[in-house]
Amino acid sequence: MSSFADLGLSQPLLDALLELGFETPTPIQEEAIPFLLEGDRDLVGLAQTGTGKTAAFGLPLVQLADVHQDTPSGLVLAPTRELCLQITKELKLFAQFRPLLNITPVYGGADIRVQMKSIKQGTQIVIATPGRLRDLINRKAIKLNAVKTVVLDEADEMLNMGFKEEIDEILQKVPSERRTWLFSATMPKEVSRLAKNYMQEPHQIKVGNTNETNQDIDHQFITARPRERLDILRRYLDTDPKLYALVFCRTRAETLSLADDLQKDGYAADVLNGDLSQVQRDRAMQRFRSRRVNILVATDVAARGLDVDGITHVFHFNIPDDWAFYTHRSGRTGRAGKRGYSIMVIHPNDRHILRRLDRKLNLQFQETEPPSVLGLVEQRLRNTIQQVATAEPLSQLNPLMENIEFALDGFSKEELVERLAAVAFQQLPSHYQREALQLLDPKAAKKKGKKGSGKVDKYQRLFLNIGRKEVAGIPEFIDFLSFFGEIDPKAVGEVNLQDKHTFFEVDIKLARALVNKFKGAEWEGRSLRLNFDSGPDGDKKGKKKSFRKSRKPGNPGNFKKKKRKGRKQRS
Ligand code: AMP
């Protein structure tokens, strides 16, 4: 891998890259920059957003611009005002140590006179939308006779948007000895025609997946609070037994904790992160490839370049740190003509970030809901009935059946199907059964709820510095809490048990007294700290109780005994 210094970039640009934190060139930059700096040939770059293509053409454009000239030597055409501004911003950052260089964006929807004025003041690089540039040419407000390089960015998009005529007109107006650099995510006929008509023996560079394959990806998002993410993922996994998924987390610790939670719930999940040795990585990849494991929880860095066929879903447990990561992540699915889903779980407060991502990557994110509990249950019932309908009878079993069959005597077909459905239903995790019954017959569920447990409907979220290291699982945690705090275990709602601490909900009426009771308390020589949770999830109203494990009424003081037995837990 080369460094930016190896690519022939001048010192002011290298200084700017250092300032920007660009350490190593992306593949398209590695190939395009030396070619564009040295050669005088045309270039076709097949690359989508996120590959670093702006810098691939922008750095050479900035370096080659002659600041002593006051008419443009570089001209960039881009489909939208947003892209125009984005390219301008990036090029200005590259040119921060070339103070005499002027870079001017011109686009529709803004006052043309202001743009005419800034062109008149002298500019070396113009970034334009085709329509506005044609207006400026027609008004004789811009001179293009000194243009040496024309960049057509997102050429396919420009043609999709109907700018063919404008582009033809503009390209006929710039000197014929100019160089043309064309970038496009796809190469439909119209783009090839453009290249054929206006370029001379262009060198071609292709990187990554093009948007051609990306059209097979549905980009979706779900708004949810962080604690709801696991439940959302479970819904997908429980609905679709063929799901083959990559889940991205931001940190290594998050990947571990998520994979751990999934494994405890019986899912075939594995981790891929930078803490693994090469051998461990290879093993994890092999298990995933062979589908012994159908969920791989990964960090961005560890999953770079991961190339596995047939991934159906990419889940983003966090918004990626860098836009480029989103493209890399989602590009793992929707390959070889197969449909893929890229689903981002975002905090309700982060919608604005998503809008930016949407614009930046020119994607249409669709808001979606995780599979509904009723949909999931229906799917399960359908699968079971389907399995029965398609099973081949085994005549060898007949002797065994003779004594068993009579148990079904007298049942009609409908009754048998009903019972089959009931059996399938009972095999579902109990929280789905409860939720489904509640949704199907809320009155009955309410009556049942009232009878069983003085139901608490308002919770306060609290933090306690006791976690998995101290207690074996959620039931043990609740025992601990009810023992120390002298509260009824039923007053505890959702519990999110972490390694060293726990967030949990408690009946709002008891919260203050509980916090006071823990003041100054010690356990095994440790000071206990119980606080109100002030984080983004610290809302007062408990929304879900789905993480709560069903349990017998508390047995004060035996939480440690259970810990030694190593009971199963989940958070
Ligand atoms: P682009 O494909 O040009 O839209 O670039 C995608 C993102 O990657 C932009 O936010 C760039 O600033 C960033 N980027 C481009 N090249 C590099 C690099 N070599 N190192 C780090 N970030 C980069």
Side-chain angles (χ1 to χ4, degrees), residues 278-337:
Q278 192 56 48
V279 176
Q280 288 170 316
R281 263 171 205 237
D282 291 347
R283 238 183 259 147
M285 280 311 302
Q286 214 250 328
R287 281 193 293 262
F288 187 55
R289 257 183 232 288
S290 64
R291 305 209 180 197
R292 263 186 292 154
V293 153
N294 68 326
I295 313 148
L296 193 61
V297 186
T299 53
D300 287 289
V301 175
R304 202 170 272 173
L306 183 143
D307 186 13
V308 177
D309 279 341
I311 292 175
T312 58
H313 290 68
V314 170
F315 292 96
H316 312 254
F317 256 41
N318 322 87
I319 287 185
D321 281 336
D322 190 301
W323 303 139
F325 287 161
Y326 180 81
T327 314
H328 290 142
R329 289 175 173 189
S330 58
R332 308 290 135 225
T333 185
R335 294 175 159 215

Side-chain angles (χ1 to χ4, degrees), residues 90 138 165 186 193 208 221 230 320 361 392 435 437 502 534 542:
E90 198 151 347
N138 290 343
E165 224 177 84
T186 57
R193 181 201 63 88
F221 73 96
L230 180 60
L361 301 183
E392 282 291 326
E435 260 185 81
L437 291 178
T502 303
S534 53

Side-chain angles (χ1 to χ4, degrees), residues 60-81:
L61 206 58
V62 167
Q63 180 154 326
L64 296 173
D66 180 359
V67 290
H68 303 296
Q69 192 180 298
D70 57 7
T71 58
S73 59
L75 175 64
V76 181
L77 294 182
T80 61
R81 159 201 163 102

Side-chain angles (χ1 to χ4, degrees), residues 47 67 81 101 106 161 177 250 266 357 420-421 490 501 543 557 571:
V67 290
R81 159 201 163 102
L101 186 67
V106 293
M161 290 171 70
E177 58 286 1
R250 192 175 288 142
L357 184 63
L420 199 59
K490 287 178 201 142
H501 61 261
K543 267 185 150 178
S571 66

Side-chain angles (χ1 to χ4, degrees), residues 277-547:
S277 68
Q278 192 56 48
V279 176
Q280 288 170 316
R281 263 171 205 237
D282 291 347
R283 238 183 259 147
M285 280 311 302
Q286 214 250 328
R287 281 193 293 262
F288 187 55
R289 257 183 232 288
S290 64
R291 305 209 180 197
R292 263 186 292 154
V293 153
N294 68 326
I295 313 148
L296 193 61
V297 186
T299 53
D300 287 289
V301 175
R304 202 170 272 173
L306 183 143
D307 186 13
V308 177
D309 279 341
I311 292 175
T312 58
H313 290 68
V314 170
F315 292 96
H316 312 254
F317 256 41
N318 322 87
I319 287 185
D321 281 336
D322 190 301
W323 303 139
F325 287 161
Y326 180 81
T327 314
H328 290 142
R329 289 175 173 189
S330 58
R332 308 290 135 225
T333 185
R335 294 175 159 215
K338 289 190 196 136
R339 192 118 217 98
Y341 295 88
S342 174
I343 302 170
M344 182 138 58
V345 187
I346 64 163
H347 193 279
N349 298 344
D350 286 344
R351 275 170 173 270
H352 65 287
I353 301 182
L354 191 81
R355 275 196 294 277
R356 257 191 286 153
L357 184 63
D358 210 333
R359 275 202 300 273
K360 176 104 183 165
L361 301 183
N362 200 16
L363 298 170
Q364 259 92 49
F365 281 95
Q366 302 288 334
E367 182 152 20
T368 190
E369 296 274 335
S372 72
V373 169
L374 289 184
L376 182 154
V377 173
E378 193 184 322
Q379 186 65 37
R380 277 292 178 96
L381 301 190
R382 187 172 293 128
N383 289 351
T384 307
I385 305 280
Q386 190 87 23
Q387 256 179 332
V388 173
T390 53
E392 282 291 326
L394 280 176
S395 57
Q396 296 92 318
L397 299 178
N398 286 350
L400 300 179
M401 290 304 294
E402 270 167 25
N403 295 329
I404 299 171
E405 249 173 23
F406 74 91
L408 297 176
D409 281 353
F411 285 114
S412 68
K413 180 184 148 201
E414 286 72 25
E415 286 168 333
L416 282 177
V417 171
E418 266 174 23
R419 278 164 170 74
L420 199 59
V423 172
F425 184 73
Q426 278 153 14
Q427 282 166 357
L428 281 161
S430 55
H431 61 98
Y432 286 139
Q433 292 184 35
R434 267 201 311 275
E435 260 185 81
L437 291 178
Q438 194 148 26
L439 290 165
L440 289 165
D441 192 354
K443 273 194 208 145
K446 208 170 175 186
K447 251 187 258 154
K448 208 175 158 197
K450 268 193 189 146
K451 199 160 41 135
S453 64
K455 208 168 148 253
V456 178
D457 56 15
K458 288 237 170 153
Y459 285 97
Q460 169 64 53
R461 199 161 141 89
L462 299 174
F463 163 95
L464 179 63
N465 63 339
I466 287 289
R468 261 194 209 110
K469 291 220 160 100
E470 288 82 21
V471 292
I474 289 175
E476 288 77 5
F477 178 81
I478 295 175
D479 285 343
F480 178 87
L481 210 58
S482 60
F483 172 67
F484 262 92
E486 295 169 342
I487 55 164
D488 183 344
K490 287 178 201 142
V492 183
E494 178 185 319
V495 176
N496 182 358
L497 191 65
Q498 306 282 320
D499 279 351
K500 293 184 184 154
H501 61 261
T502 303
F503 289 100
F504 66 96
E505 290 172 337
V506 72
D507 180 350
I508 199 161
K509 296 194 284 297
L510 305 178
R512 173 64 56 193
L514 192 65
V515 170
N516 288 338
K517 212 164 274 172
F518 270 76
K519 273 194 187 140
E522 281 191 11
W523 179 58
E524 297 202 330
R526 285 191 51 187
S527 300
L528 296 176
R529 193 155 55 82
L530 180 67
N531 299 331
F532 286 85
D533 172 26
S534 53
D537 289 343
D539 51 346
K540 289 191 164 48
K541 197 168 158 104
K543 267 185 150 178
K544 284 194 167 198
K545 281 152 231 140
S546 54
F547 297 115

